[in-house]
Amino acid sequence: MRATRLMTPAGDAALVLTAHGSADPRSAANARAVAGRLARMRPHIDVRVAFCEHNSPQLVDVLNGCPGKAVVTPLLLADAYHARVDIPRQIAGCEAADRVRQADVLGEDDRLVSVLRQRVTELGVSRLDDALGVLVVAIGSSSPAANARTAEVATKLMAETRWAAATTAFATLAHPSMAEAVTRLRRRGARRVVIAPWFLAPGRVPDRVQRFADDAHIAMAAPLGAHPLVADVLLDRFDRAVAERADQTAA
């Protein structure tokens, strides 16, 4: 279901799209592609790209270069360390922290789940295939609460399909391993398995998942990428942050 868009004017607030950053250039390229889509969808907003680490420009530098208010809009799926600790710390270290607000992460938004479902069907899979098991693979967090929220994606993914089962594995955590998760799907009736990567972009961790998929002869879908619905959710997060700032100012 599509979330209701808050059409609060952004005023002069810049949208600072903030990605984690990666040594893999494909990740930064995806962030810039998302920023370009945002700029086309909202040409009156000053859209800037920043990274927490690995890539330039760094978040603090971008915020210091913003002449007015800014909303740090995380290009992150999980509400974990980078959203809760790293980004707030960098905001606090900029020259005009009082003019900066942080928006919510993307989370397990239904629109993003629909993109993931689309990526699976792009493999040639039918939504009516009742022999199919889908392994959702995410990065994983040291926060059990964040992992529990991410695990909800597998259940949501089953909506509007007849797939046999779906489950979750975390690429950076030991348990359950991807192999264990595949076994679990087969025990639940799946005769064929595909991998649905809960990643925004290609990179080193997705490549590791791809190697597992290749070794296991399992098809793997593409990441969410710069899909229009990714940009749509980001704009909702930005709009909400702007509206909250306006409400606080009015109060």
Side-chain angles (χ1 to χ4, degrees):
M1 180 180 296
R2 183 183 174 87
T4 301
R5 172 66 54 80
L6 297 175
M7 296 306 293
T8 303
D12 61 349
L15 189 163
V16 181
L17 183 69
T18 305
H20 173 268
S22 170
D24 190 314
R26 294 172 297 172
S27 179
N30 183 74
R32 294 189 173 96
V34 173
R37 188 175 290 280
L38 292 170
R40 291 189 296 274
M41 292 172 71
R42 294 281 190 89
H44 64 285
I45 293 178
D46 179 11
V47 178
R48 305 184 182 209
V49 179
F51 299 93
C52 292
E53 57 187 36
H54 295 298
N55 304 109
S56 296
Q58 295 284 294
L59 177 57
V60 171
D61 295 333
V62 173
L63 292 176
N64 287 341
C66 289
K69 295 177 290 185
V71 175
V72 174
T73 308
L75 186 60
L76 299 171
L77 290 169
D79 186 21
Y81 173 81
H82 292 291
R84 291 181 174 271
V85 179
D86 192 15
I87 290 177
R89 182 176 60 210
Q90 295 194 43
I91 291 174
C94 74
E95 296 171 357
D98 58 322
R99 298 200 304 267
V100 180
R101 189 171 188 88
Q102 181 177 340
D104 292 333
V105 299
L106 292 163
E108 301 75 41
D109 192 283
D110 288 347
R111 286 164 289 181
L112 301 184
V113 176
S114 74
V115 176
L116 187 62
R117 193 181 300 115
Q118 175 185 325
R119 296 297 189 229
V120 172
T121 60
E122 287 169 356
L123 294 172
V125 169
S126 170
R127 296 190 184 199
L128 304 180
D129 186 350
D130 60 4
L132 186 74
V134 182
L135 173 56
V136 177
V137 181
I139 290 180
S141 168
S142 59
S143 166
N147 292 334
R149 289 190 294 270
T150 299
E152 296 172 5
V153 171
T155 300
K156 290 184 173 186
L157 191 64
M158 294 285 287
E160 304 175 13
T161 77
R162 294 184 184 175
W163 295 336
T167 192
T168 306
F170 297 98
T172 57
L173 302 180
H175 298 288
S177 69
M178 288 182 281
E180 290 169 342
V182 169
T183 299
R184 181 188 306 166
L185 288 170
R186 298 196 187 283
R187 287 175 178 169
R188 291 169 61 184
R191 295 195 296 275
R192 291 179 298 281
V193 175
V194 298
I195 291 178
W198 189 240
F199 298 118
L200 286 163
R204 293 186 172 184
V205 177
D207 282 352
R208 188 192 315 166
V209 180
Q210 184 67 65
R211 287 193 293 272
F212 167 81
D214 292 342
D215 291 343
H217 305 289
I218 296 173
M220 177 171 160
L224 302 180
H227 193 283
L229 288 179
V230 173
D232 201 51
V233 177
L234 286 163
L235 288 173
D236 277 351
R237 303 296 182 260
F238 172 77
D239 287 340
R240 189 173 298 278
V242 170
E244 290 173 352
R245 177 188 289 276
D247 289 344
Q248 290 179 354
T249 301

